[in-house]
Amino acid sequence: IPGVSQVALRIRPMSAAELAEGARPIAHRVDEQVVVLRDPMEDPDDILRASRSREKSYVFDVAFDSSATQETVYRATTRGLVAGVISGHNATVFTYGPTGCGKTYTMLGTDGEPGVCARTLGELFQAIEDASGDTEYEVSTSYLEIYNEMIRDLLNPSLGCLQLREDAGGTVQVAGITKISAISAEEVSQRAPMGHGGGPANPPLPGAARLPQVLQVLARGNRQRTQEPTAANCASSRSHAVLQVTVRQRRRGGGLRRGRLFMIDLAGSERAAQTQNRGQRMKEGAHINRSLLALGNCIKALSHRASTKYINYRDSKLTRLLKDSLGGNNHTVMIAHISPASTAFEESRSTLAYAHRAKSIRAT
Amino acid sequence: AAATCGGWAAVCDKFRTARTLSTVESRKDPETEPYRSKYSARALLQEVKQLLSAAEEGGEARLLAVRRAVLEYELGVNHTDTEELSAGEEHLQRCTQLLEPHRLSPDCVSLYIQAQNNLGILWSLRDEIKTAQTYLESAEALYNQYMKEDGNPPLDPSEHFMAEEEKITDQERSKRFEKAYTHTLYYLAQVYQHLEMIEKAAQYCHTTLKRQLEYCGYNPVEWALNAATLSQYYLSKQCFMEARHCLAAASVIFSQAGQVPSAEDNETEQDQQDLRQRKAEIARCWIKYCLNLLQSARKLLEDNIGELDPDRQLELKAQRKKEEDEKEKGRKKAVLFGTSDICDSVLAIEEKVSSVYPLDFQEAREIFLVGQNYVLEAKEFFQVDGYVTDHIEIVQDHSALFKVLAFFEEDYERRCKMHKRRLDMLESIYVDLNPQYYLLISRQLQFELADTYYEMMDLKIAIGNRLEELDSHTIKKINSLAQLAIKYYELFLDSLRNPDRVFPEQLEEDVLRPAMVAKFHIARLYGKLITSDSKKQLENMQTSLEYYMFLVDYCEKYPDAVRAVETELELSKEMVGLLPTRMERLRAKLCPFI
C-alpha cells in the first residue's frame, strides 16, 4: 500500500460463536498504541523459541479494543482528514482484515452506532453548513462495489458493470456512476453540480434533511453488495466497497478546489494470509498458472497437499481508482481489524504483521 | 474481404505488431506501468477490428467470421492479462460463438480450443474452479473428436492474418496444435489438483511431461527434476513400476543437459554448481525409491514380532510366478515416455533395479546396493559443510537401508555387522551436531542410536543363547551395548525437558510414543544387564521397576495415552506385578537370616 500515514488497529469483542467453541482471548490492547498477541500453542521442537515468551507485541499509531466506541475510533483516525479534504486535499481510509472482524462495522456501523462513513459525511455537511458566505461547497457521494474486477454502482445496481475512465487531468473516474450531491447554499436550487461528471446527479437535498437521507441511501446501497452464501459470516467477503466523497470548494473571487475522500471497506483479507506449517491449512487460491514452468510446483504439490500462496497485487482496479489519492498530496489511514480469539490466531498474526509492515511504508 | 492486396498486408502488419507488443514488448514494461504495451496492442487490435467490419461487403462470410474470431480471441486474452476479466470473458465468448458451427474444421479447431483454454484460466482467476473445469474438459473432448474424425494438422490461428506465401508447414502446424492441447492437459492437471482429485492430477501431469518430450521442447534439467518429483508421488502410492520409469527417464534426460552446449561460451561456476546439485537431488529420489521398495516388501513379509515369516515368503513367491505381466504391460504402456531415442537408454537404467517386491536376501541386497550407490552420489554434493540437514537426511536413509537389509539377513552375526555400520555412520554425524540448533534431528539420531544398540544387544543375546554358556567376552559385550542404549535413550528423554530442566508433566502428542518406548526399553535393558553382584542386580531391578511404573502411572493419569503404547503398557503392568516378588526372593537369598 503506497504512503500510509497512519495505521490503526481495532480488536473486536469475542463473538458468541467463538465463546461457544471454547476460544480464549489471545489478543490484548496493552496501551494506546500497543497490541500483544499470544501464541496459543507451543511448538515443542522450536528450541530457539522455547525459552522466549510466546507473546509478540506490535506498536501502531493507535490501537482500539472492545472498550472503544465508534466515536472514539472516528476521532482518532478519520476526523483529522476532513479539514484537509475540504481544503482540497485527498485522503483515503482503508479497513483491512479477515472476514468477520469488524471492517464493515467500523466503516458503516449500525443505526444505533454509526461508523466512520456516517460520521465523516456528518462532519462534512456540518462544515459546509457553517461555511462563510463567500465560499460555496458541493459534496457529492458515490458508492460502488468492486467484485471480481467488476465495478457496480451500489446506488444504481441495474446499470450493471461500469468502466473506469481517465480524464485529461489524470483523474480516474467511474463512468456513469450515480452521485448524490449537496450544495451549501441555503436555497435549494436545481443548479447542475460543478465540475465534470458523466452520470446523472440527483437534485441537491435541502438543509438538515441531507445527512439522514444520504445515510439511508448508503444503507440501501450496502444491502446491494454481493453476498456469498458460503462466506464465513453473512457479510460479503470478496467485494470491496468504496465510498467516494468529493468536496468541491469555490471561493468568490476565484479558486476552485477539489478534495476527494475514499472510504474503502476492503474484501476479507483471509485469502491473502500465508499459511504456516502448523495444524491448520487454508485452501489456496485456485488460479491456473499459464506457464509450463510452473509444472514443477504442480507436481510437488501432489505429494504435499499444502503450499503457501503469495498473491501479487498489480495495477488492479482498486489501485487505479485511487491513483490520484495515493501518493503525494494525500493522507492514508489504514484501520486493521482482528478477532481476539485463540481460534483466529493464524489470521490475526498475519493481519498484525501486514499492518505493522504498512506502517513503515511512506509515500515518496 | 479487405479490398486490395496492399490493404490486407497493412492489416496483417498491424495484427502482427499488436501480437509482438503483447508477447515481447510487454515484458519490458516498467513496474509502474506494467500494462503499457498491452494497452497499445489493444488499441491496434481495435483498429483491425474496425477495418474488418468496414470490409463487410460480399466476399467470404466464413473467412470474415474466422478473422473476427481471431481478433475477439486476442482481445479476450489481452483483457484477461490486464485483469479486466469481464471484458475478457465477453470477447472470448464472442470468439467461440463465431466459431461454433465450424469448430471441428481445420481452420477453426485450434483457435476454438485455445479460446476454451483461456476461458478456463479466466474462471480460475475468479476462483470458480468447477467452471474452469467444464471449459477445459470441453476443449479436451474437442481435440479428441477432431483427431478421431479428421486428424490433419489444422491451421494455426496466426495464419488467418498472414499472406499466402507466409503460411506455415504441416509439420509446424501440427507442432503448434499439439502444444495447445498439451496446455489444455496441463491446465486440467492444475484444476484436478485444486479439486483434490490427486490421482487424476498426477495422471495429467504425467501426460504433460510425456508430451513435452514429444512436442513441446523442454529444458532437460527442469524436465528431469519434474519427472523425479513425480516419481515420489508414485512411491507414496506404492506404484513402483511407474516410479522407476520416471526416475530412469529423469536420469536419461538429465544426462542430455550436460551434452547440450550452452549459449555462452563458458558456463558460469554457478551453473555448474546448479547442475551438480540437481544431479544429487535426483540421486536422492532414487535412494527413496530403493528404500521404499525394501520397506514395503518388509511389511508384507514380517510376522508379528518383526521377523521374516517363511510361510509368507513362500506364498508371495508363488504368487509372483502366477501374476500376469499382461496387467503390468498395460500399465507400462500408459505411462511410457516413448520417444524412440530415449527408450533404449531408459530401459537400460530400469534393468539395473527391480520394481517388484524383493522376497529374499539376494533380491534385497541387489536393491540395497543400487540405493547405496546413489547415497554415495548424493553425498558427493551434499557434504556436511554447507548442507548439514541434507547430508544428515542422506545418512539417515543409508542407515535405514542397512536396517531393512538386516531384516532379510538370516545370519545374526552378519546382521550385527550391518547394525555396526549404522552405529558408525550415525555416531559420526551426531557427535558434531549442536542440539540447540538441531533439536529435532538430534532427537531422531539419539533415538535411532539407542534403538540400534538395543537391537544389537538383543542379537548378541540370541547368539549367546545358542552356545552352552555365555563367555565373559560376550557378557561384557552385551552389557556394553545395553549401557550405550540406555545412554542414548536417556539423552533423548533429557531433550524433552523444558528450559528449567524439568521433565514435562504431560507429553506432547508427537513425542509421546517415542518417550514411552524409551522408558520401556530402558526398563527392559536394566533387566537384561548381567552381573554376578547380587546387590547390583537388585539395584538394576529396582531401576527397571521404576521405569515400568512410569508407564503405568502416566497412562493412569492420562488415559488418552494408552492407545499409543498398548503393547508396552500391558507388558509393563505384568512386570510391575512380577518384579517386586522377584526382588523379594533375591533379597531373601542375600540376607537369609533376617
Side-chain angles (χ1 to χ4, degrees):
Chain A
I1 308 179
V4 177
S5 42
Q6 186 198 45
V7 179
L9 185 92
R10 191 172 195 185
I11 308 175
R12 68 154 166 71
M14 291 269 278
S15 70
E18 287 166 339
L19 289 167
E21 30 169 28
R24 317 178 307 275
I26 51 161
H28 305 277
R29 171 184 177 268
V30 168
D31 63 29
E32 271 162 29
Q33 292 184 280
V34 180
V35 167
V36 162
L37 183 72
R38 184 168 53 82
D39 186 338
M41 261 195 318
E42 194 175 49
D43 183 344
D45 294 326
D46 201 342
I47 193 70
L48 293 173
R49 274 177 263 269
S51 46
R52 269 196 243 147
S53 157
R54 286 181 283 153
E55 292 189 333
K56 189 159 162 60
S57 56
Y58 301 84
V59 182
F60 297 99
D61 295 305
V62 62
F64 311 103
D65 62 12
S66 51
S67 66
T69 60
Q70 296 278 60
E71 179 69 17
T72 311
V73 173
Y74 168 68
R75 277 175 192 262
T77 59
T78 316
R79 192 168 184 231
L81 302 175
V82 172
V85 171
I86 290 175
S87 52
H89 294 107
N90 298 326
T92 312
V93 180
F94 284 97
T95 55
Y96 175 84
T99 305
C101 288
K103 301 188 298 296
T104 308
Y105 177 71
T106 297
M107 251 336 164
L108 244 46
T110 59
D111 280 342
E113 294 163 354
V116 162
C117 291
R119 290 170 199 272
T120 308
L121 283 170
E123 191 104 16
L124 280 168
F125 283 125
Q126 191 59 48
I128 66 180
E129 291 241 353
D130 299 340
S132 64
D134 57 355
T135 315
E136 206 173 71
Y137 290 97
E138 181 197 348
V139 177
S140 68
T141 310
S142 301
Y143 194 26
L144 60 95
E145 166 189 77
I146 302 178
Y147 176 74
N148 269 351
E149 298 303 310
M150 296 185 288
I151 302 180
R152 280 170 72 229
D153 183 348
L154 288 172
L155 303 181
N156 190 353
S158 60
L159 289 177
C161 196
L162 305 178
Q163 299 297 333
L164 292 176
R165 246 186 22 205
E166 205 163 306
D167 68 13
T171 307
V172 178
Q173 310 252 35
V174 181
I177 197 158
T178 311
K179 294 184 167 87
I180 305 178
S181 285
I183 299 177
S184 67
E186 282 308 316
E187 66 281 4
V188 175
S189 92
Q190 293 298 310
R191 217 181 323 167
M194 294 179 271
H196 18 226
N202 290 358
L205 304 169
R210 267 168 299 191
L211 183 57
Q213 279 197 287
V214 171
L215 293 178
Q216 238 180 35
V217 171
L218 291 185
R220 244 199 345 258
N222 197 50
R223 285 194 284 276
Q224 295 298 326
R225 281 181 74 178
T226 308
Q227 306 281 357
E228 291 153 14
T230 56
N233 71 5
C234 300
S236 30
S237 70
R238 269 188 294 178
S239 81
H240 310 298
V242 181
L243 181 68
Q244 177 184 325
V245 180
T246 310
V247 179
R248 290 189 188 84
Q249 179 199 82
R250 181 183 289 160
R251 284 180 185 282
R252 206 180 312 246
L256 178 69
R257 289 205 198 146
R258 192 201 59 187
R260 292 219 285 188
L261 173 63
F262 286 96
M263 289 177 277
I264 306 173
D265 185 357
L266 279 181
S269 64
E270 64 275 15
R271 280 180 187 274
Q274 290 204 345
T275 54
Q276 305 283 326
N277 208 6
R278 293 186 189 217
Q280 280 198 309
R281 290 188 174 148
M282 285 197 275
K283 192 144 193 257
E284 53 181 285
H287 299 193
I288 290 179
N289 197 310
R290 264 188 209 281
S291 165
L292 278 167
L293 289 173
L295 177 58
N297 294 335
C298 194
I299 295 178
K300 253 181 233 153
L302 293 172
S303 315
H304 332 282
R305 292 304 194 79
S307 59
T308 54
K309 191 82 182 191
Y310 176 66
I311 298 183
N312 220 350
Y313 293 106
R314 229 181 22 141
D315 201 23
S316 77
K317 283 256 164 60
L318 191 62
T319 320
R320 287 180 64 200
L321 194 58
L322 302 174
K323 202 171 70 102
D324 61 346
S325 210
L326 306 171
N329 200 15
N330 89 107
H331 245 76
T332 308
V333 173
M334 179 208 280
I335 310 178
H337 295 72
I338 61 169
S339 152
S342 50
T343 42
F345 172 68
E346 295 292 353
E347 286 178 350
S348 299
R349 182 167 58 171
S350 284
T351 305
L352 286 166
Y354 184 82
H356 197 247
R357 266 202 302 279
K359 258 188 60 191
S360 52
I361 301 170
R362 298 277 169 239
T364 45
Chain B
T4 63
C5 243
W8 179 238
V11 171
C12 291
D13 243 357
K14 221 173 237 199
F15 179 80
R16 269 197 291 273
T17 312
R19 291 221 54 200
T20 313
L21 276 167
S22 269
T23 51
V24 179
E25 295 300 317
S26 65
R27 297 201 200 136
K28 308 178 199 154
D29 282 340
E31 264 213 25
T32 47
E33 289 183 84
Y35 296 144
R36 191 171 60 188
S37 298
K38 299 228 184 221
Y39 292 148
S40 310
R42 187 187 299 176
L44 284 174
L45 289 168
Q46 295 285 12
E47 280 177 41
V48 177
K49 197 171 167 186
Q50 293 280 44
L51 289 169
L52 275 189
S53 51
E56 187 135 7
E57 357 73 38
E60 289 242 22
R62 161 92 172 249
L63 187 58
L64 198 57
V66 178
R67 284 178 179 162
R68 279 217 184 98
V70 174
L71 281 168
E72 294 295 343
Y73 170 79
E74 293 291 338
L75 282 163
V77 175
N78 185 295
H79 280 276
T80 310
D81 285 345
T82 57
E83 298 175 60
E84 296 165 21
L85 298 184
S86 30
E89 186 189 353
E90 232 178 85
H91 286 290
L92 289 170
Q93 291 287 22
R94 238 179 269 150
C95 171
T96 52
Q97 271 160 26
L98 284 164
L99 297 173
E100 196 71 40
H102 318 292
R103 67 189 193 281
L104 271 171
S105 45
D107 56 340
C108 297
V109 67
S110 184
L111 182 59
Y112 194 90
I113 286 176
Q114 290 188 53
Q116 295 208 300
N117 281 355
N118 276 281
L119 279 162
I121 292 176
L122 190 149
W123 278 100
S124 83
L125 292 170
R126 288 177 171 161
D127 277 331
E128 300 279 346
I129 206 70
K130 290 216 164 213
T131 314
Q133 182 186 8
T134 51
Y135 282 107
L136 293 167
E137 286 181 344
S138 159
E140 182 186 20
L142 190 68
Y143 170 89
N144 286 320
Q145 195 184 358
Y146 176 80
M147 292 310 274
K148 194 160 143 213
E149 295 177 9
D150 186 329
N152 290 311
L155 250 59
D156 185 72
S158 61
E159 291 188 74
H160 294 294
F161 283 91
M162 273 183 194
E164 220 21 75
E165 57 276 12
E166 294 171 314
K167 304 260 167 151
I168 58 188
T169 61
D170 263 357
Q171 194 186 35
E172 181 64 25
R173 279 180 183 157
S174 174
K175 192 162 161 227
R176 294 191 194 183
F177 184 51
E178 296 297 343
K179 193 165 183 193
Y181 181 57
T182 302
H183 280 84
T184 309
L185 298 173
Y186 170 52
Y187 300 153
L188 276 167
Q190 295 180 61
V191 164
Y192 291 134
Q193 191 184 78
H194 288 304
L195 293 170
E196 315 240 327
M197 297 161 64
I198 301 299
E199 251 178 75
K200 215 155 177 203
Q203 184 196 335
Y204 278 72
C205 280
H206 192 121
T207 312
T208 305
L209 280 174
K210 202 163 133 176
R211 292 178 61 94
Q212 274 187 305
L213 283 182
E214 288 181 55
Y215 303 113
C216 274
Y218 56 92
N219 172 308
V221 176
E222 224 178 86
W223 194 96
L225 278 178
N226 288 343
T229 315
L230 188 59
S231 79
Q232 305 299 289
Y233 162 77
Y234 283 124
L235 283 182
S236 72
K237 296 283 169 199
Q238 313 275 294
C239 296
F240 294 101
M241 184 269 290
E242 288 86 342
R244 183 182 67 174
H245 190 64
C246 284
L247 283 167
S251 294
V252 169
I253 298 292
F254 183 83
S255 58
Q256 277 182 10
Q259 290 156 17
V260 174
S262 61
E264 308 95 86
D265 246 49
N266 25 316
E267 273 176 341
T268 61
E269 180 55 43
Q270 183 62 39
D271 291 334
Q272 290 285 9
Q273 174 90 331
D274 284 343
L275 223 65
R276 282 198 295 269
Q277 180 167 355
R278 302 294 171 224
K279 185 157 189 262
E281 283 168 4
I282 294 176
R284 287 176 80 179
C285 291
W286 272 110
I287 299 172
K288 298 287 185 191
Y289 170 84
C290 296
L291 193 52
N292 261 277
L293 186 56
L294 287 164
Q295 289 172 337
S296 297
R298 174 187 183 153
K299 283 209 188 80
L300 289 176
L301 287 166
E302 68 183 354
D303 60 20
N304 54 11
I305 54 166
E307 291 290 338
L308 202 155
D309 182 344
D311 294 326
R312 288 285 292 147
Q313 189 179 37
L314 284 169
E315 217 182 286
L316 288 165
K317 279 193 168 171
Q319 195 178 42
R320 191 201 276 169
K321 286 213 176 87
K322 274 201 258 155
E323 205 115 77
E324 319 279 9
D325 19 13
E326 286 316 312
K327 207 173 39 166
E328 278 267 318
K329 281 205 187 113
R331 269 166 67 197
K332 182 69 179 276
K333 198 147 173 279
V335 299
L336 203 63
F337 293 117
T339 60
S340 46
D341 51 345
I342 62 162
C343 234
D344 290 332
S345 320
V346 173
L347 209 59
I349 297 190
E350 284 181 309
E351 284 174 349
K352 292 194 186 142
V353 66
S354 161
S355 69
V356 298
Y357 294 121
L359 296 174
D360 58 34
F361 180 76
Q362 262 310 104
E363 293 172 0
R365 186 168 173 274
E366 276 172 33
I367 298 170
F368 166 87
L369 287 172
V370 172
Q372 185 164 253
N373 273 334
Y374 282 114
V375 164
L376 297 172
E377 197 179 302
K379 284 206 310 205
E380 265 173 43
F381 181 81
F382 290 110
Q383 299 175 1
V384 185
D385 249 333
Y387 298 99
V388 177
T389 322
D390 296 295
H391 180 92
I392 293 183
E393 195 185 302
I394 296 169
V395 173
Q396 284 175 312
D397 282 347
H398 197 182
S399 166
L401 280 168
F402 270 110
K403 183 174 176 184
V404 72
L405 184 62
F407 167 80
F408 288 91
E409 172 59 76
E410 286 174 6
D411 181 285
Y412 286 177
E413 283 289 3
R414 285 201 286 268
R415 272 200 205 177
C416 279
K417 288 208 173 74
M418 292 178 196
H419 290 303
K420 182 78 174 70
R421 288 290 302 275
R422 293 175 64 198
L423 291 169
D424 291 339
M425 68 176 83
L426 292 170
E427 259 171 344
S428 74
I429 47 166
Y430 175 73
V431 86
D432 287 326
L433 214 54
N434 185 331
Q436 215 193 345
Y437 298 121
Y438 292 103
L439 181 66
L440 186 58
I441 296 181
S442 256
R443 281 189 187 156
Q444 286 173 356
L445 291 172
Q446 284 155 351
F447 202 87
E448 194 173 345
L449 279 160
D451 254 8
T452 312
Y453 275 116
Y454 185 79
E455 181 84 33
M456 263 187 90
M457 184 210 71
D458 257 344
L459 283 166
K460 289 290 184 196
I461 292 179
I463 292 169
N465 282 340
R466 291 195 186 141
L467 312 167
E468 282 299 312
E469 204 186 83
L470 289 174
D471 65 15
S472 67
H473 171 80
T474 314
I475 291 174
K476 240 183 166 162
K477 191 74 192 166
I478 290 172
N479 281 342
S480 143
L481 289 168
Q483 294 285 14
L484 284 162
I486 290 172
K487 165 185 159 190
Y488 280 106
Y489 280 129
E490 292 284 15
L491 278 170
F492 171 77
L493 289 168
D494 273 346
S495 78
L496 300 176
R497 292 173 188 270
N498 68 17
D500 297 325
R501 313 298 304 144
V502 173
F503 197 80
E505 269 299 305
Q506 187 176 17
L507 293 160
E508 299 278 349
E509 216 188 298
D510 48 352
V511 295
L512 176 62
R513 182 167 165 79
M516 300 296 259
V517 167
K519 293 268 185 187
F520 180 73
H521 282 185
I522 293 176
R524 199 166 164 267
L525 284 161
Y526 273 104
K528 293 280 179 183
L529 286 170
I530 304 169
T531 169
S532 47
D533 179 346
S534 300
K535 219 168 129 223
K536 193 77 179 88
Q537 195 178 4
L538 212 53
E539 273 173 38
N540 290 345
M541 288 169 90
Q542 178 60 32
T543 313
S544 186
L545 179 62
E546 279 163 22
Y547 277 86
Y548 283 127
M549 293 262 7
F550 177 89
L551 266 107
V552 175
D553 289 342
Y554 188 92
C555 287
E556 230 182 84
K557 202 166 164 203
Y558 303 103
D560 285 338
V562 177
R563 44 179 178 74
V565 281
E566 266 185 75
T567 337
E568 289 84 1
L569 181 63
E570 225 180 278
L571 289 165
S572 300
K573 283 188 178 152
E574 262 183 57
M575 294 307 285
V576 166
L578 282 171
L579 270 173
T581 326
R582 278 200 207 148
M583 285 163 72
E584 256 322 296
R585 262 189 243 134
L586 192 55
R587 252 182 240 122
K589 263 205 334 217
L590 285 175
C591 314
F593 303 113
I594 299 213

